[in-house]
Amino acid sequence: MANFSLKMNVGQLLRKKRDGEEMTKDEIESFIQNTVSGNNTESQIGAMLMAMYIRGITDTEATNLTQSILLSGERLQWRPEWESKLVEKHSTGGVGDKISLILTPILAACGLKVPMISGRSLEHTGGTLDKLESIPGFRVEIDYKTMEEALEQAGCFIAAANAQLCPADRILYGVRDITCTVDCVGLIVSSIISKKVASGAKFLVMDVKVGKAAFCKTVEKARALAKQLISVSAQLGVRSRVVLSRMDEPLGITVGNALEVAEAVKSLAGNMSPDVARLVSVLGANLLEMTGYAGNGKDLIRQVIKDGSAMERFRRMLVQQGVENSVANRLVQGQPVLPTALYTTQLRAQSSGWVEEVNAWIVGQVCLELGAGRRKTGDTIDLTVGVEIWKHQGDRVVEGEPWVTVHHSTPSLPTLLVIYLQQALEVEPVPLDRPDIIIEILH
């Protein structure tokens, strides 16, 4: 960034954005550089974020903001021979979303390199990093040498962004959280794309969730986000596609940190729920196609699961990131390694019929109450708690039949929590078709 940008007055920039004018590239660079250097106060940062939220962020501003955040830190550089194989995946987050845990080693087994920079999350459960930390010994904080060795030996890693990668994003996100500007489309785009470009990825597939338990409640809002994600990533030299997927029901069978890791291992062994299998197949096949794979990507994905090479890549990744060989071997063999909750309780269906829906929002809020997620940054989470859901949309259910198992850390569940969770199961007297989890794919 140009040093002269430090001389720009933040008050003038705030007034300009407050009044709905488009900020120039130099003005955005000035704001970001002053933020990272500590010249902007938290209240000034918050005021700018709120102005951006209210007035909106144009495509040009989003591109310049992303570029400025990217340039606030370092950018990972990988071997030239890996250039055409470097891929990444991102999800806007959902209830039971363990796709990164499954898809990353699958892509590595398909011959791609996956330098995944992931995060933690607020709300119902932890993020991908929290889930991985339920594996004894797994380290999410790794240095560049370890990352490179993991890409060489396993073909993938899943790690936290270090302090040198997009430091501006870390500052902005902390203020977004306390100023209720987390769901600003332009800020979401700049946060996602800056970290993905910094990871060194050349191809990116993004899973934008749509529905009751998603940031985007409508397809229209999801499309607007998708179009800006694709536009900005292209401006920064990354080819991308966006898959819109449903998030009205929890994804897969489990919701909870260790529980989702256990389901991911079963999925890599070939025991995958239909919705997870569909999403993994579509996301993975799109990335393979973008990198020039000439065959049927979905067939290749099925092959690397069936022959065990995807599971082997997962095992290698664990070892590269600190898990002892014996622990990694036991985990991929399905032996008990993960922490478990002290208590479990089954809830039973209160009527017979066909499942219309298992409300993902309610399930997510219950898991948050159990301790699986965070209400604010820095909260401690319980890696063992969560739910296993045995009935899904379109399934036949009989009154008195168990439909969910709750894993909890206290001897009994609060009555109000049980009542609330029972409301998640919606039953109809006539059979229902389960809609495709994939809504649309945007290029």
Side-chain angles (χ1 to χ4, degrees):
M1 293 184 194
N3 288 331
F4 73 83
S5 64
L6 283 170
K7 299 177 182 178
M8 291 189 180
N9 184 287
V10 68
Q12 293 174 339
L13 301 184
L14 284 170
R15 281 191 289 273
K16 184 173 186 178
K17 192 61 190 175
R18 179 200 65 188
D19 294 341
E21 298 180 49
E22 185 175 67
M23 295 175 69
T24 67
K25 181 178 180 180
D26 286 343
E27 288 169 338
I28 290 173
E29 283 184 355
S30 169
F31 176 75
I32 293 300
Q33 189 172 358
N34 278 303
T35 294
V36 174
S37 64
N39 292 333
N40 288 341
T41 66
E42 188 174 83
S43 59
Q44 288 172 325
I45 298 169
M48 178 61 79
L49 295 177
M50 186 58 72
M52 289 177 169
Y53 183 91
I54 293 172
R55 289 297 189 175
I57 299 174
T58 67
D59 284 354
T60 300
E61 285 177 320
T63 299
N64 291 332
L65 179 59
T66 306
Q67 182 76 36
S68 296
I69 292 172
L70 176 65
L71 293 175
S72 71
E74 297 176 356
R75 186 170 174 173
L76 296 175
Q77 301 288 336
W78 306 113
R79 299 176 190 177
E81 60 266 30
W82 293 348
E83 184 86 2
S84 63
K85 301 177 180 180
L86 290 163
V87 303
E88 254 265 41
K89 171 260 177 193
H90 181 81
S91 169
T92 54
V95 180
D97 188 357
K98 71 279 295 176
I99 298 299
S100 291
L101 303 176
I102 304 165
L103 185 59
T104 298
I106 287 175
L107 293 171
C110 291
L112 302 178
K113 300 292 184 183
V114 193
M116 183 169 288
I117 300 298
S118 193
R120 306 183 189 278
S121 69
L122 300 176
E123 293 302 325
H124 41 269
T125 65
T128 300
L129 299 182
D130 299 296
K131 293 167 189 178
L132 284 166
E133 284 184 333
S134 68
I135 304 171
F138 192 92
R139 292 186 293 112
V140 300
E141 305 281 351
I142 55 177
D143 59 21
Y144 175 80
K145 182 180 179 182
T146 304
M147 290 178 179
E148 188 173 45
E149 288 175 353
L151 285 179
E152 172 66 33
Q153 298 298 321
C156 58
F157 65 77
I158 303 177
N162 61 35
Q164 287 72 49
L165 288 180
C166 303
D169 180 67
R170 187 175 297 104
I171 297 168
L172 294 181
Y173 194 87
V175 181
R176 284 167 62 196
D177 182 35
I178 60 176
T179 54
C180 300
T181 55
V182 170
D183 58 344
C184 174
V185 168
L187 295 176
I188 291 171
V189 169
S190 62
S191 178
I192 293 172
I193 302 301
S194 61
K195 291 195 290 288
K196 298 308 179 185
V197 175
S199 77
K202 301 302 179 184
F203 305 93
L204 173 63
V205 67
M206 289 169 280
D207 179 11
V208 173
K209 305 292 188 188
V210 185
K212 293 177 181 176
F215 153 66
C216 295
K217 307 298 182 188
T218 66
V219 172
E220 291 71 27
K221 185 170 185 178
R223 285 195 189 115
L225 173 59
K227 288 175 181 177
Q228 196 166 76
L229 284 166
I230 292 168
S231 172
V232 172
S233 62
Q235 292 294 318
L236 273 70
V238 175
R239 287 184 58 195
S240 62
R241 293 182 185 178
V242 176
V243 175
L244 306 188
S245 66
R246 301 183 196 279
M247 185 36 67
D248 293 313
E249 278 207 325
L251 183 57
I253 297 169
T254 60
V255 184
N257 299 286
L259 291 171
E260 290 185 44
V261 171
E263 183 180 352
V265 173
K266 291 177 182 176
S267 296
L268 288 169
N271 185 15
M272 219 179 288
S273 68
D275 55 346
V276 169
R278 172 79 169 131
L279 197 50
V280 165
S281 177
V282 169
L283 293 170
N286 272 272
L287 270 175
L288 285 164
E289 184 180 323
M290 279 192 283
T291 59
Y293 180 69
N296 187 308
K298 294 178 182 178
D299 286 346
L300 181 58
I301 289 168
R302 282 191 288 267
Q303 178 186 320
V304 299
I305 294 171
K306 185 177 181 179
D307 66 20
S309 55
M311 184 73 86
E312 172 59 17
R313 294 290 178 164
F314 181 70
R315 189 196 67 80
R316 291 186 198 177
M317 182 185 75
L318 299 185
V319 173
Q320 288 294 319
Q321 294 191 235
V323 180
E324 292 184 6
N325 260 303
S326 60
V327 174
N329 290 338
R330 282 161 48 207
L331 178 61
V332 301
Q333 291 165 9
Q335 297 178 27
V337 165
L338 300 169
T340 56
L342 294 174
Y343 307 95
T344 60
T345 300
Q346 286 189 335
L347 300 191
R348 299 178 181 274
Q350 297 175 314
S351 61
S352 297
W354 282 264
V355 178
E356 179 184 15
E357 183 179 85
V358 176
N359 188 303
W361 174 257
I362 293 177
V363 171
Q365 292 304 299
V366 167
C367 287
L368 179 61
E369 288 295 326
L370 291 171
R374 297 182 180 86
R375 295 187 185 278
K376 62 181 185 300
T377 303
D379 281 357
T380 300
I381 63 174
D382 188 337
L383 297 172
T384 69
V385 299
V387 300
E388 291 178 278
I389 301 164
W390 307 116
K391 295 293 180 180
H392 299 84
Q393 191 173 40
D395 290 348
R396 172 72 172 152
V397 65
V398 177
E399 183 178 354
E401 182 181 12
W403 73 271
V404 64
T405 300
V406 183
H407 296 248
H408 49 105
S409 58
T410 55
S412 61
L413 290 173
T415 301
L416 289 178
L417 196 68
V418 171
I419 294 172
Y420 187 46
L421 182 54
Q422 286 285 27
Q423 294 173 12
L425 181 66
E426 300 176 24
V427 178
E428 288 293 317
V430 294
L432 298 162
D433 292 329
R434 190 173 189 178
D436 189 355
I437 192 171
I438 305 299
I439 299 171
E440 189 176 345
I441 302 173
L442 292 89
H443 296 226

